[in-house]
Amino acid sequence: MLDTLRRIVQEVNNAPDIRSALDLMAQRVRDAMGTEVCSIYLRDNTEERYVLMASEGLKREAVGRVSLGFSEGLVGQVGLREEPINLEDAFAHPKFHYLAETGEDPFHAFLGVPVMHHGKVLGILVVQQRDARRFDQSEEAFLITISAQLSAVIAHAHASGVLFEQLDAHEDLPSFHDGQPGASGAAIGTGVLLFPEADLSAVPDREPEDISAEIALLDEALVRVRQEIRDLAERAKTTLGAEEQALFDVYLRMLDRHALPAEVVARIREGQWAQGALRTVVDAHVHNFEMMDDPYLRERAADVRDLGRRVLGQLQSRSRRRITFPEHCILLGDDVSAPMLMELPQENIVGIATTRGSRNSHMAIVARAMGIPTVVGAQNLPLKKLDGKELIVDGFRGRVIANASAELKEQFQEIIAEERHLQAGLEKLRDLPAQTEDGERIRLQVNTGLMTDINRSIERGAEGVGLYRTEIPFMVRDRFPSEEEQRLIYREQLSAFAPHPVTMRTLDVGGDKALSYFPIEEENPFLGWRGIRLTLDHPEIFIVQVRAMLKAAEGLDNLRIMLPMITSVIEAEEAQHLIHRAWLEVREEGVDVAMPPVGVMIEVPASVYQARALAQRVDFLSVGTNDLTQYLLAVDRNNRQVSDLYNSCHPAVLHALLHVVEQAHEEGKPVSVCGEMAGDPSTALLLLAMGYDTLSMNASNLLRVKAAVRQVNMGFLRQLLNEVLAMDNGEVIASYLDLQLTKVGLGDLIRHRKAA
Ligand code: PEP
Ligand code: MG
């Protein structure tokens, strides 16, 4: 059974489009189970109906035409109950709803299972049989398993809206693709897909600008691949037997003008660019080979794929994709890494949408820092289809919209204008203190990492840097930066903000932050070799970094050093010892710099309970609420599957935060928050009420937080804090906070808009 299952899933995943995938699914499941009917009903949320989308055994003409209401018939019941219904005789069931158009009269036995994805019913998979009999348990288990395995394919088509559009031929209907808000704001622009090179499956559909030029590109690529294969054959002469040698001839025959290339040319003439045409043809051949029963022929699929990759490599190297960035461009990709973002023309990027990641991943943090409206984890975004299309990114709600109607577009244009207006109003606060109505002052600093952060932060009146993520300059290189390279980068930060302090965090890689030149392979990277653990194992990296920081601070003396991922006093002491050593070294070399304050990040639960002991040893504490929330709640900050559970208003997080500030102050040490909580006006106010001395956030949020601070008084905030600390439900706390702050007139500042 497992083999059959694997085969079906593979076939369906390789289907050229969703309709063929559904047809295949129905055929294969019917054959595998030896039943007479297998049908797939999919949920159409607009019409509130389950539509028959594929069937083997029912009348063909019913497909796409027949549907049932959400609570209608047995299909509706499976959907409502979210569990299988297995009946010996469907006709005898009171909920049975006879569909004459399907020709289901002869079929008595019925087994329906829901197709579930992320807790939602996407459709119903049904098998039927003439004889009145109950499907046995193994059949039921098989159908449930296959439904679970295939749900991702359906989810993809479902969310992209292509299913029902195809039925009605309404290509231009708006389609909504939900993910998570990565960075708030809205944007309208043209989708530009960033896709990895030499990956055939990632190539998008694109119209060629010049058909003959595309054909010429293909011809050139083929000449080079043919030569490559001849060279390979020549080299392999001594090592391979005649049989294996023959493989090269097969390759060359496939590349003959009249074979594969002729089909690619035909596709180009139909209006595809060479890379897209190649992908379509190779996919079709791979699919045909994979369908074959003969294992030898099945293996040929790999050869076609390999050839396809070679031709693609040549095509891409020749046309080295010069992405032309439209004026308002919305970056699309599975992932858009922070370094990638920095290499692109930032003035053109108005929005970002990715299929992976979640609101707390570093990419989203960088996007927020840059103030680019972003949607992350929109798992079902049909990336290839959105390239070149006009799109709306709704970063408030976490939604991407394609084919928006004129009204919808207008609505978003208004939202964009309103946001600009609000921002312009906030700019007046630049030089005013972050102080409550009754005079309580809090220091607002910025989190930096990108060079562009410097200007943005200064424009917004930041009182120094609470977190400089030094890993970012490490991530954009292809080797560790030298001491002198680091010194120059750090000097720029320190001098830009002097005399305000700049808190430089020592290298925090591992987890979801990788250095291409220092790969770390781990089963569980967030619980692995990350942050201080890695740098203490590599004192040569740590010391060079600290030396560079110290040298950079000469004459400015505004450096503070902060240690990430501390879980025990031993780590803090070891790191302090190394810092001291580096300081003595540079002093001996004649650098005139004072020993900087050294602090630790509180971002794992262990350090919450060690806060006092840590505070006794170091000069300051800073809470990294992004990781602290992740580790306290055991919710991976990058995993969208559990992102609903990631809530920094969870009582466990709030009580931990209160404990840390109390412990630090008992020792007379200053304490700040530099996680994302500090940059959200609602939670920032709670942190102020708890007594935090400093909040450090993305520059984009600074004025919003300042505006909120200036509109409240401490009496109100302390009462609010006491109320929420007495609550035991994080979701209730978050809504209560929003409600109370809206009541006192902060609605505009804290609004998480539900735009469309
Ligand atoms: C944090 O964990 O809250 C933090 C500020 O660090 P980072 O987001 O870089 O892990
Ligand atoms: Mg962290």
Side-chain angles (χ1 to χ4, degrees):
M1 233 12 163
L2 204 57
D3 261 357
T4 317
L5 226 141
R6 207 175 289 137
R7 182 100 185 262
I8 300 180
V9 172
Q10 193 188 12
E11 278 186 44
V12 171
N13 281 332
N14 287 337
D17 55 59
I18 182 64
R19 300 308 300 274
S20 336
L22 292 174
D23 288 342
L24 251 174
M25 226 181 268
Q27 273 167 28
R28 296 292 183 256
V29 172
R30 186 182 79 153
D31 295 349
M33 293 185 66
T35 63
E36 278 140 326
V37 176
C38 175
S39 311
I40 301 165
Y41 294 82
L42 294 189
R43 193 177 165 102
D44 180 349
N45 286 324
T46 320
E47 300 292 325
E48 301 199 353
R49 297 187 77 75
Y50 287 107
V51 184
L52 178 66
M53 295 297 289
S55 182
E56 275 299 306
L58 297 183
K59 285 188 184 158
R60 292 252 155 206
E61 43 298 6
V63 172
R65 301 219 165 76
V66 165
S67 65
L68 288 153
F70 280 171
S71 52
E72 207 172 10
L74 295 172
V75 164
Q77 288 308 297
V78 177
L80 283 179
R81 288 159 55 170
E82 300 183 358
E83 60 179 15
I85 293 187
N86 186 351
L87 300 171
E88 192 176 328
D89 186 4
F91 291 79
H93 194 282
K95 286 285 181 188
F96 178 74
H97 181 98
Y98 175 62
L99 293 168
E101 309 88 312
T102 61
E104 66 178 337
D105 321 40
F107 306 112
H108 287 267
F110 173 101
L111 169 61
V113 301
V115 180
M116 305 288 299
H117 191 71
H118 288 168
K120 294 208 173 76
V121 179
L122 299 183
I124 315 292
L125 191 55
V126 175
V127 289
Q128 289 170 284
Q129 205 160 18
R130 257 168 228 277
D131 305 338
R133 67 150 185 123
R134 252 179 92 83
F135 286 91
D136 69 29
Q137 292 212 347
S138 67
E139 288 170 312
E140 194 174 311
F142 177 79
L143 201 63
I144 291 173
T145 315
I146 199 105
S147 153
Q149 295 243 3
L150 296 173
S151 66
V153 179
I154 295 178
H156 189 283
H158 218 285
S160 63
V162 293
L163 277 174
F164 305 110
E165 275 173 33
Q166 283 186 2
L167 270 186
D168 305 337
H170 282 167
E171 279 283 330
D172 297 337
L173 281 183
S175 58
F176 300 90
H177 312 278
D178 284 335
Q180 286 183 10
S184 67
I188 304 178
T190 311
V192 172
L193 177 58
L194 301 175
F195 59 94
E197 295 198 339
D199 178 356
L200 211 49
S201 65
V203 170
D205 289 335
R206 221 170 249 175
E207 274 182 34
E209 278 167 25
D210 175 350
I211 290 193
S212 338
E214 289 297 306
I215 296 178
L217 263 179
L218 175 74
D219 283 341
E220 278 174 44
L222 289 168
V223 168
R224 283 194 302 276
V225 176
R226 284 191 201 107
Q227 191 52 48
E228 197 179 298
I229 301 214
R230 278 191 215 106
D231 292 349
L232 277 177
E234 191 56 39
R235 253 183 283 148
K237 254 186 187 155
T238 48
T239 46
L240 293 184
E243 208 172 304
E244 289 93 351
Q245 281 276 332
L247 196 62
F248 293 113
D249 294 332
V250 176
Y251 269 38
L252 287 172
R253 273 201 300 280
M254 284 190 204
L255 288 177
D256 189 90
R257 290 188 52 141
H258 305 290
L260 251 149
E263 293 176 49
V264 181
V265 170
R267 290 282 178 164
I268 297 176
R269 291 197 199 287
E270 282 165 24
Q272 260 289 3
W273 65 326
Q275 298 185 33
L278 178 73
R279 185 205 72 222
T280 318
V281 171
V282 169
D283 275 358
H285 282 272
V286 166
H287 178 68
N288 289 342
F289 278 118
E290 278 176 348
M291 287 301 89
M292 297 192 179
D293 286 329
D294 182 309
Y296 174 80
L297 288 175
R298 255 202 326 268
E299 283 300 308
R300 302 285 65 80
D303 298 336
V304 182
R305 217 182 273 121
D306 180 49
L307 265 189
R309 245 193 316 260
R310 285 172 191 275
V311 179
L312 181 72
Q314 291 295 348
L315 274 177
Q316 290 179 332
S317 76
R318 201 30 73 109
S319 61
R320 197 52 74 198
R321 210 166 73 99
R322 269 163 293 137
I323 312 176
T324 38
F325 285 93
E327 198 184 341
H328 295 121
C329 131
I330 299 208
L331 293 184
L332 302 168
D334 283 320
D335 265 322
V336 176
S337 66
M340 237 185 211
L341 257 183
M342 275 166 278
E343 281 164 10
L344 302 172
Q346 289 170 22
E347 58 288 358
N348 290 20
I349 303 169
V350 296
I352 302 172
T354 65
T355 58
R356 301 208 190 111
S358 80
R359 138 159 219 92
N360 307 294
S361 28
H362 284 93
M363 193 287 282
I365 293 176
V366 172
R368 284 202 282 283
M370 294 170 72
I372 305 175
T374 298
V375 173
V376 286
Q379 216 181 10
N380 302 311
L381 208 57
L383 291 174
K384 288 183 215 145
K385 296 213 159 25
L386 300 183
D387 184 61
K389 287 251 168 73
E390 185 180 71
L391 303 174
I392 295 177
V393 165
D394 176 354
F396 295 109
R397 182 178 179 145
R399 175 174 264 195
V400 181
I401 306 168
N403 293 328
S405 62
E407 296 78 36
L408 199 56
K409 198 171 150 187
E410 217 168 279
Q411 208 179 327
F412 274 94
Q413 276 159 341
E414 269 169 36
I415 292 170
I416 295 169
E418 259 177 49
E419 279 294 303
R420 266 199 211 119
H421 187 69
L422 177 70
Q423 197 58 40
L426 291 175
E427 266 147 35
K428 293 201 282 277
L429 305 178
R430 182 188 183 280
D431 296 318
L432 298 176
Q435 168 173 311
T436 57
E437 288 168 338
D438 49 344
E440 182 81 13
R441 184 89 166 72
I442 187 158
R443 192 202 284 244
L444 299 188
Q445 296 186 325
V446 277
N447 294 350
T448 58
L450 312 172
M451 282 303 169
T452 49
D453 288 336
I454 298 183
N455 283 344
R456 293 165 52 78
S457 309
I458 292 172
E459 273 164 23
R460 288 168 174 77
E463 300 166 273
V465 177
L467 165 64
Y468 171 55
R469 290 185 165 98
T470 57
E471 56 278 4
I472 297 185
F474 277 69
M475 285 161 84
V476 294
R477 286 184 163 65
D478 53 9
R479 57 173 173 76
F480 283 108
S482 68
E483 182 176 313
E484 180 57 11
E485 280 169 333
Q486 292 186 52
R487 186 188 70 81
L488 291 173
I489 304 168
Y490 302 155
R491 179 79 185 177
E492 201 159 340
Q493 285 280 323
L494 291 162
S495 51
F497 288 94
H500 290 303
V502 173
T503 313
M504 297 202 162
R505 176 169 75 183
T506 60
L507 189 64
D508 184 23
V509 290
D512 66 340
K513 288 179 286 192
L515 298 178
S516 55
Y517 48 89
F518 192 72
I520 305 170
E521 290 290 329
E522 285 178 321
E523 287 270 318
N524 214 341
F526 275 114
L527 298 184
W529 205 41
R530 74 160 294 213
I532 198 73
R533 301 171 181 182
L534 187 149
T535 46
L536 285 180
D537 284 349
H538 280 279
E540 76 288 8
I541 298 173
F542 188 80
I543 288 196
V544 166
Q545 181 172 40
V546 173
R547 285 171 52 93
M549 289 177 180
L550 292 166
K551 285 184 171 177
E554 191 178 21
L556 298 170
D557 280 330
N558 59 341
L559 167 70
R560 295 170 10 126
I561 297 181
M562 182 158 80
L563 309 167
M565 277 292 288
I566 294 285
T567 47
S568 71
V569 292
I570 306 166
E571 288 167 336
E573 283 169 355
E574 251 183 73
Q576 278 175 305
H577 171 72
L578 290 176
I579 295 172
H580 199 254
R581 211 174 93 189
W583 179 68
L584 291 177
E585 279 174 19
V586 298
R587 295 267 300 181
E588 253 172 48
E589 290 167 29
V591 180
D592 181 19
V593 66
M595 175 71 191
V598 176
V600 296
M601 289 192 73
I602 304 290
E603 47 184 353
V604 293
S607 62
V608 170
Y609 296 102
Q610 292 279 91
R612 182 111 188 221
L614 287 165
Q616 281 161 1
R617 287 165 171 81
V618 297
D619 302 303
F620 64 92
L621 302 185
S622 185
V623 187
T625 48
N626 306 337
D627 277 314
L628 185 59
T629 305
Q630 144 164 287
Y631 293 123
L632 267 177
L633 305 184
V635 175
D636 177 348
R637 63 195 268 188
N638 284 314
N639 182 346
R640 68 175 297 281
Q641 187 89 17
V642 288
S643 60
D644 285 350
L645 302 175
Y646 188 101
N647 178 3
S648 298
C649 287
H650 189 292
V653 179
L654 297 184
H655 285 277
L657 282 162
L658 186 65
H659 179 75
V660 173
V661 70
E662 285 170 355
Q663 298 294 300
H665 286 172
E666 290 279 338
E667 291 300 324
K669 298 289 164 68
V671 57
S672 63
V673 172
C674 61
E676 293 297 296
M677 257 181 115
D680 175 333
S682 332
T683 42
L685 292 179
L686 278 191
L687 297 169
L688 166 60
M690 286 183 191
Y692 278 90
D693 308 292
T694 301
L695 300 179
S696 187
M697 65 205 74
N698 293 317
S700 327
N701 293 341
L702 194 134
L703 291 176
R704 240 175 239 264
V705 170
K706 192 188 270 189
V709 169
R710 292 178 58 84
Q711 286 175 53
V712 290
N713 66 60
M714 288 308 285
F716 163 77
L717 285 186
R718 288 202 184 100
Q719 189 189 332
L720 187 61
L721 176 66
N722 285 336
E723 282 167 354
V724 300
L725 286 176
M727 295 179 180
D728 54 11
N729 177 329
E731 286 176 29
V732 175
I733 294 177
S735 337
Y736 185 76
L737 261 184
D738 276 3
L739 183 71
Q740 294 307 312
L741 295 176
T742 304
K743 266 194 192 162
V744 295
L746 300 187
D748 270 354
L749 292 172
I750 62 159
R751 182 162 33 176
H752 307 292
R753 274 174 211 266
K754 300 278 183 252

